[in-house]
Each structure stands twice: as structure tokens, then as C-alpha cells.
């Protein structure tokens, strides 16, 4: 993996985490927190969506949407578990 790929990977994670934070929690988690939430969200979406038959296509925008949806699921689960 080249340096450009890593930078794009981190950028998509940061944007996805920030968007998910705005949707679920009402704010971001800082740069590092957004990257972590976005990357974990992309992993969750990558495991969950293909089994449900949900496909977004390719490209950077699709990757951001994919990771954001997974991050929203992650943050919603964390919120539910905190209340329990």
C-alpha cells in the first residue's frame, strides 16, 4: 500500500467519523477519534452490507457513504450499550 492510499484511507475514515458524529452524537470526536470511528465503521459496513445484498458501487464518495453508514451503526450500538 502506497503513501497515497494510506492518506486516502485516513481521509475517508476522518470524514466518515465526522459525519457519523454529526448524525448520531451531534458533534465530532476530534481528528484521531473520527478516523478510528470511520475505519471501524467501514469494517462493520464491509461485513454487514454484502450479506444483506446492499451495494453502493465504487469510488471515494461511495466509500465515504459506506463508512459513514457503518460508523452510524457503531455509534448507535455504543449509545444503546451505554444506556443498558
Amino acid at each position: 500500500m502506497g503513501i497515497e492510499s494510506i492518506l486516502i484511507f485516513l481521509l475517508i475514515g476522518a470524514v466518515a467519523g465526522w459525519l457519523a458524529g454529526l448524525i448520531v452524537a451531534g458533534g465530532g470526536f476530534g481528528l484521531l477519534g473520527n478516523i478510528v470511528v470511520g475505519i471501524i465503521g467501514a469494517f462493520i459496513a464491509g461485513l454487514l452490507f454484502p450479506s444483506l445484498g446492499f451495494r453502493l458501487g465504487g469510488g471515494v464518495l461511495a466509500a465515504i457513504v459506506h463508512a459513514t453508514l457503518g460508523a452510524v451503526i457503531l455509534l448507535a450500538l455504543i449509545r444503546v450499550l451505554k444506556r443498558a
Side-chain angles (χ1 to χ4, degrees), residues 3-83:
I3 190 71
E4 298 89 8
S5 299
I6 293 171
L7 289 174
I8 291 172
F9 184 75
L10 294 174
L11 181 65
I12 289 172
V15 171
W18 175 71
L19 287 173
L22 290 178
I23 292 169
V24 175
F29 303 103
L31 181 61
L32 186 60
N34 286 340
I35 291 172
V36 170
V37 168
I39 291 172
I40 294 172
F43 181 73
I44 289 171
L47 291 175
L48 184 63
F49 292 165
S51 64
L52 297 174
F54 185 69
R55 306 223 185 260
L56 290 174
V60 174
L61 184 59
I64 290 172
V65 171
H66 186 89
T68 301
L69 291 174
V72 166
I73 292 169
L74 172 69
L75 294 177
L77 285 173
I78 289 172
R79 180 176 278 185
V80 167
L81 292 175
K82 274 188 169 181
R83 290 184 183 178

